[in-house]
């Protein structure tokens, strides 16, 4: 009888552990840039995200007409339009912290020495042909630098989403950013999950459970306010993308 009670007790504890949602993982948005000496999408921001123990560091990628992949958020840098300017000109541009704008190859070389995962956002290009070529080239570079098992892809473009789902190795997860696919559509399109803004998620909190029931994951961006972080934590999202990774880490420790 005692043994029976002991085992049913163990079973109940096991169930409680299984039903308790894991804490969201912290992703630094455009690297950890909101700290001295750093800048958005700089190599420094990647190193900094790694040094504070972020689960992953997110960054944005564009391709020049001569097929060089550049890490930058905006389509222009210091007035130079990345999609329409030769790389020789783009690479003369500096970031706010004095670093030259990095190529994806330089970013990957820096990442090889680090542990943090990488969340690559391919920006939506004006030319579908250039965007499709950029999808292929990012995958090729990931392989070249042996980073395939540390990379996830996020995109607004439905073409790029399909491109990554089709061509990326199975270990890479592909998330949709646009907010206009319901979870079932992402599942049907063979994505790994949704990566939607906090504004969209607050309109559709039911999508968190819907995703989990479908075996999809939920990432929310860009969550910088403590009350929004708590909202995400309470609802059991899988990842939070933030400009304030250390603040979020402190909240998660409580
Ligand atoms: Mg981004």
């Amino acid at each position: 009888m005692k043994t029976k009670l002991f085992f049913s007790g163990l079973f109940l504890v096991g169930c409680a552990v299984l039903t308790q949602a894991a804490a969201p993982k912290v992703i630094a948005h455009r690297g950890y840039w909101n700290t001295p000496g750093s800048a958005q999408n700089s190599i420094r921001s990647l190193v900094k995200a790694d040094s504070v123990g972020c689960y992953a560091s997110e960054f944005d990628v564009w391709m020049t007409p001569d097929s060089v992949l550049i890490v930058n958020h905006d389509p222009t840098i210091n007035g130079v339009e990345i999609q329409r300017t030769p790389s020789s000109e783009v690479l003369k541009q500096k970031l706010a912290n004095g670093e030259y704008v990095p190529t994806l190859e330089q970013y990957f070389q820096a990442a090889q020495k680090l542990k943090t995962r990488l969340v690559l956002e391919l920006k939506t290009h004006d030319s579908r042909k250039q965007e499709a070529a950029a999808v292929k080239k990012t995958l090729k570079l990931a392989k070249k630098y042996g980073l395939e098992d540390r990379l996830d892809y996020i995109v607004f473009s439905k073409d790029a989403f399909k491109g990554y789902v089709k061509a990326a190795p199975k270990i890479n997860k592909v998330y949709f950013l646009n907010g206009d696919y319901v979870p079932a559509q992402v599942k049907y399109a063979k994505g790994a999950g949704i990566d939607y803004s906090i504004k969209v998620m607050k309109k559709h909190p039911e999508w968190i459970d819907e995703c989990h029931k479908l075996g999809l994951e939920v990432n929310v961006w860009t969550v910088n306010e403590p009350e929004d972080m708590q909202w995400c934590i309470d609802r059991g999202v899988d990842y939070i993308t933030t400009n304030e990774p250390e603040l979020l880490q402190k909240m998660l420790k409580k």
Side-chain angles (χ1 to χ4, degrees):
M1 183 63 184
K2 263 189 186 167
T3 323
K4 229 181 188 179
L5 273 176
F6 174 74
F7 280 113
S8 41
L10 262 189
F11 176 74
L12 286 175
V13 170
C15 286
V17 169
L18 282 176
T19 50
Q20 198 178 33
K25 295 184 174 78
V26 180
I27 301 178
H29 179 241
R30 304 180 198 168
Y32 187 9
W33 58 269
N34 194 7
T35 185
S38 195
Q40 293 189 5
N41 283 313
S42 62
I43 301 273
R44 179 76 193 143
S45 74
L46 171 66
V47 173
K48 193 73 192 159
D50 180 76
S51 74
V52 300
C54 287
Y55 170 77
S57 191
E58 186 262 0
F59 55 95
D60 307 285
V61 174
W62 292 96
M63 192 161 87
T64 63
D66 54 339
S67 306
V68 175
L69 293 161
I70 304 286
V71 180
N72 196 64
H73 178 266
D74 292 350
T76 60
I77 174 159
N78 306 331
V80 172
E81 205 173 348
I82 301 170
Q83 295 176 78
R84 292 187 174 80
T85 311
S87 56
S88 56
E89 206 48 48
V90 174
L91 293 170
K92 284 180 191 161
Q93 307 307 315
K94 283 188 176 178
L95 306 177
N97 68 344
E99 274 181 41
Y100 284 102
V101 62
T103 62
L104 183 63
E105 291 219 54
Q106 290 166 332
Y107 222 73
F108 279 173
Q109 282 160 6
Q112 281 182 314
K113 299 176 201 122
L114 309 172
K115 282 198 178 123
T116 189
R117 280 189 75 80
L118 306 166
V119 177
L120 188 159
E121 177 181 349
L122 184 72
K123 303 307 284 186
T124 306
H125 288 59
D126 292 340
S127 149
R128 292 173 82 176
K129 201 176 154 195
Q130 199 169 348
E131 189 179 275
V135 168
K136 278 194 186 153
K137 186 128 196 203
T138 52
L139 293 169
K140 204 173 152 191
L141 283 186
K143 193 172 181 187
K144 178 178 171 186
Y145 288 97
L147 291 169
E148 284 171 314
D149 58 348
R150 275 172 56 200
L151 259 167
D152 296 313
Y153 295 96
I154 59 174
V155 281
F156 281 96
S157 154
K158 285 176 185 164
D159 289 336
F161 182 76
K162 283 181 203 152
Y164 278 120
V165 165
K166 200 173 160 196
K170 286 272 176 291
I171 37 171
N172 299 138
K173 295 175 179 175
V174 187
Y175 299 84
F176 191 54
L177 288 163
N178 212 3
D180 63 352
Y181 270 177
V182 299
Q185 284 173 296
V186 176
K187 178 79 180 174
Y188 182 75
K190 298 193 169 68
I194 58 173
D195 186 355
Y196 291 170
S197 72
I198 181 75
K199 209 171 146 191
V200 168
M201 290 316 296
K202 282 193 168 175
K203 265 190 217 159
H204 293 286
E206 75 281 5
W207 285 355
I208 299 169
D209 279 349
E210 275 179 40
C211 275
H212 290 159
K213 277 179 195 152
L214 290 166
L216 300 173
E217 292 184 309
V218 180
N219 187 347
V220 189
W221 54 270
T222 306
V223 187
N224 301 324
E225 300 301 326
E227 53 270 34
D228 289 337
M229 291 175 178
Q230 197 57 54
W231 188 92
C232 292
I233 295 166
D234 292 345
R235 280 156 189 81
V237 310
D238 304 286
Y239 309 95
I240 297 176
T241 301
T242 179
N243 293 336
E244 303 286 350
E246 287 192 289
L247 172 68
L248 176 56
Q249 284 170 333
K250 267 184 211 149
M251 285 183 64
L252 288 166
K253 268 186 198 152
K254 273 183 202 165

